[in-house]
Amino acid sequence: MRAELLKNIRAAEPYVPGEQPRNKVIKLNTNENPYPPAPGVGRVLREMDADCFRLYPDPTAGDLVNALADFYGVGEDQVFVGVGSDDVLSLCFLTFFNSGRPVLFPDITYSFYKVWAGLYRIPYECPELDENFRIVREDYYRENGGIIFPNPNAPTAIYEELDFVEDILSHNRDSIVIVDEAYVDFAGRSAMELIDKYDNLIVVQTFSKARSMAGMRIGYAVSNPELIRCLNNVKYSFNSYTMSQAAIACGVEAVKDREYFEQGVRRITETREWAKEELAKLGFVFPDSKANFIFARHPEHDAGELFEKLRADGIFVRHWNGEKIGQYLRITVGTREEMQTLFDFLKKELG
Ligand code: PMP
């Protein structure tokens, strides 16, 4: 293309999602849930009258907001919903990281943060994790234009207790701190319980992991009413109808079924604990996972080669190149049977 045309076009370096193969494979590469969503979700879909799609959906997604507010015991004005937490997080970047000062997030973390910062021209700095892949809290004591980190972090799967989160919040009273809790249901306490105490806190969660609904695209933020209003103002300056009728109705059903949700989380965490033992027996080393994936390396086998061999056998895991993480594989916790197939293959392969 001609340079004169190109120079005024917004350039973006996009996020690269994990592969979504359409044939039958063992899919342990994008941290999806191997079990179906709550039974009510299927029922609502089957009973849905397509005529409802004639009309625009409720722009506030009020039914879903109410269901989440009930579930977490917060006000309806404290919940914001979006098209997956990627949508919510990208709107958070646009809304809250507007000071011109660098936003801080770890050097090894969810790679979409860099993409949004680049797209919106937000300056950022990435303090290094320590040698055990832990976030160093003192690195977040300096002046900044906002802070974001996942807890548990991705792809390390390491969870920090709430006193750690609170320490970062209390050292940054004048900055917005976003805690991306995509995987917190598999880990421990959510920072949501700190919302009344810290007016600079936003907690973001998703239906894609513990609620088994990655394909429906639902994410949400919980914060104080003022910050939620700011987020809504930006959303309504962008697209009023982000949530489809189907997403709103299915989301409500998923939230209502607390028992199914808790049982599903238990099933994944039990499989994860067993998978850690099996991986250790095979000689893998990994930080202690509190998520629905394990970030593991084998001291004697090249991760890139293992990744390719697994892939050729129809077992998909995730691998990134890079100096610090190039020898690691990120393995999603699937069903016990899927994990057994993985371990059988690895046993053969590693000899
Ligand atoms: N945050 C983190 C840390 C993630 O790993 C993911 C999943 N790729 C997301 C957010 C986004 O998930 P979703 O848009 O499906 O809610």
Side-chain angles (χ1 to χ4, degrees):
M1 188 178 285
R2 283 183 296 118
E4 292 70 30
L5 268 182
L6 259 185
K7 72 175 189 243
N8 292 321
I9 296 174
R10 187 181 290 274
E13 195 163 322
Y15 173 75
V16 184
E19 274 182 88
Q20 293 293 353
R22 289 294 158 214
N23 48 343
K24 192 95 186 105
V25 295
I26 294 189
K27 196 168 174 315
L28 307 174
N29 68 335
T30 52
N31 297 343
E32 289 137 333
N33 196 309
Y35 301 110
V41 174
R43 197 176 55 242
V44 154
L45 274 180
R46 282 189 298 277
E47 289 170 3
M48 202 164 237
D49 180 353
D51 189 51
C52 77
F53 297 138
R54 278 189 314 108
L55 304 178
Y56 285 108
D58 169 11
T60 70
D63 291 346
L64 183 53
V65 165
N66 288 349
L68 285 165
D70 274 357
F71 187 89
Y72 291 111
V74 298
E76 289 157 30
D77 54 359
Q78 292 185 268
V79 180
F80 174 88
V81 292
V83 187
S85 52
D86 282 342
D87 179 43
V88 176
L89 289 165
S90 75
L91 278 173
C92 284
F93 269 66
L94 189 58
T95 309
F96 300 116
F97 296 160
N98 194 37
S99 69
R101 288 191 296 277
V103 167
L104 304 179
F105 49 84
D107 66 334
I108 297 169
T109 194
Y110 188 32
S111 51
F112 227 139
Y113 300 161
K114 260 187 197 162
V115 174
W116 291 314
L119 184 66
Y120 298 139
R121 312 276 189 268
I122 299 166
Y124 62 91
E125 287 170 11
C126 297
E128 287 184 37
L129 297 183
D130 73 10
E131 68 279 10
N132 299 316
F133 283 157
R134 303 288 291 270
I135 299 174
V136 181
R137 63 177 81 186
E138 292 82 5
D139 289 342
Y140 296 81
Y141 292 175
R142 60 175 125 133
E143 215 203 8
N144 62 71
I147 291 173
I148 180 165
F149 59 93
N151 196 29
N153 195 6
T156 63
I158 296 174
Y159 170 75
E160 299 295 349
E161 297 294 338
L162 280 197
D163 62 339
F164 174 98
V165 177
E166 185 157 11
D167 185 63
I168 290 188
L169 282 163
S170 62
H171 277 89
N172 291 280
R173 295 308 302 249
D174 296 330
S175 288
I176 300 287
V177 177
I178 301 172
V179 186
D180 175 355
E181 293 190 335
Y183 304 101
V184 79
D185 299 311
F186 307 109
R189 283 160 67 190
S190 162
M192 259 186 224
E193 58 187 274
L194 299 173
I195 273 165
D196 290 339
K197 197 164 165 196
Y198 293 92
D199 63 0
N200 54 329
L201 169 63
I202 299 169
V203 176
V204 175
Q205 295 195 6
T206 180
F207 281 49
S208 299
K209 314 297 176 184
R211 288 197 171 83
S212 299
M213 288 171 74
M216 191 51 86
R217 312 303 301 128
I218 306 175
Y220 51 103
V222 179
S223 185
N224 59 67
E226 281 77 15
L227 293 186
I228 293 297
R229 196 174 313 122
C230 297
L231 207 43
N232 269 313
N233 286 342
V234 171
K235 172 207 146 157
Y236 289 121
S237 309
F238 204 84
N239 178 1
S240 314
Y241 306 109
T242 54
M243 309 302 290
S244 70
Q245 304 267 28
I248 294 170
C250 291
V252 168
E253 285 306 311
V255 178
K256 276 203 297 207
D257 200 338
R258 192 184 281 264
E259 197 184 323
Y260 184 85
F261 167 73
E262 287 171 356
Q263 195 190 342
V265 167
R266 256 196 319 273
R267 209 149 44 150
I268 298 285
T269 50
E270 278 165 18
T271 308
R272 176 189 72 203
E273 294 308 308
W274 165 72
K276 285 190 214 170
E277 287 167 23
E278 293 299 306
L279 281 173
K281 278 191 224 159
L282 288 163
F284 282 90
V285 289
F286 44 86
D288 189 29
S289 165
K290 297 286 182 198
N292 67 337
F293 56 89
I294 301 167
F295 196 51
R297 85 183 156 81
H298 199 292
E300 288 138 39
H301 293 268
D302 181 70
E305 283 173 25
L306 268 182
F307 167 80
E308 288 301 342
K309 283 179 183 159
L310 284 163
R311 194 172 180 282
D313 210 60
I315 302 173
F316 283 52
V317 298
R318 195 94 199 255
H319 173 252
W320 290 273
N321 294 315
E323 189 195 337
K324 291 185 184 167
I325 60 170
Q327 281 310 320
Y328 283 81
L329 297 175
R330 192 196 65 187
I331 304 165
T332 303
V333 177
T335 62
R336 217 179 148 96
E337 296 70 34
E338 288 172 327
M339 301 311 276
Q340 190 62 59
T341 308
L342 167 73
F343 299 139
D344 290 346
F345 180 85
L346 287 172
K347 245 173 239 160
K348 254 195 342 236
E349 194 54 45
L350 307 179

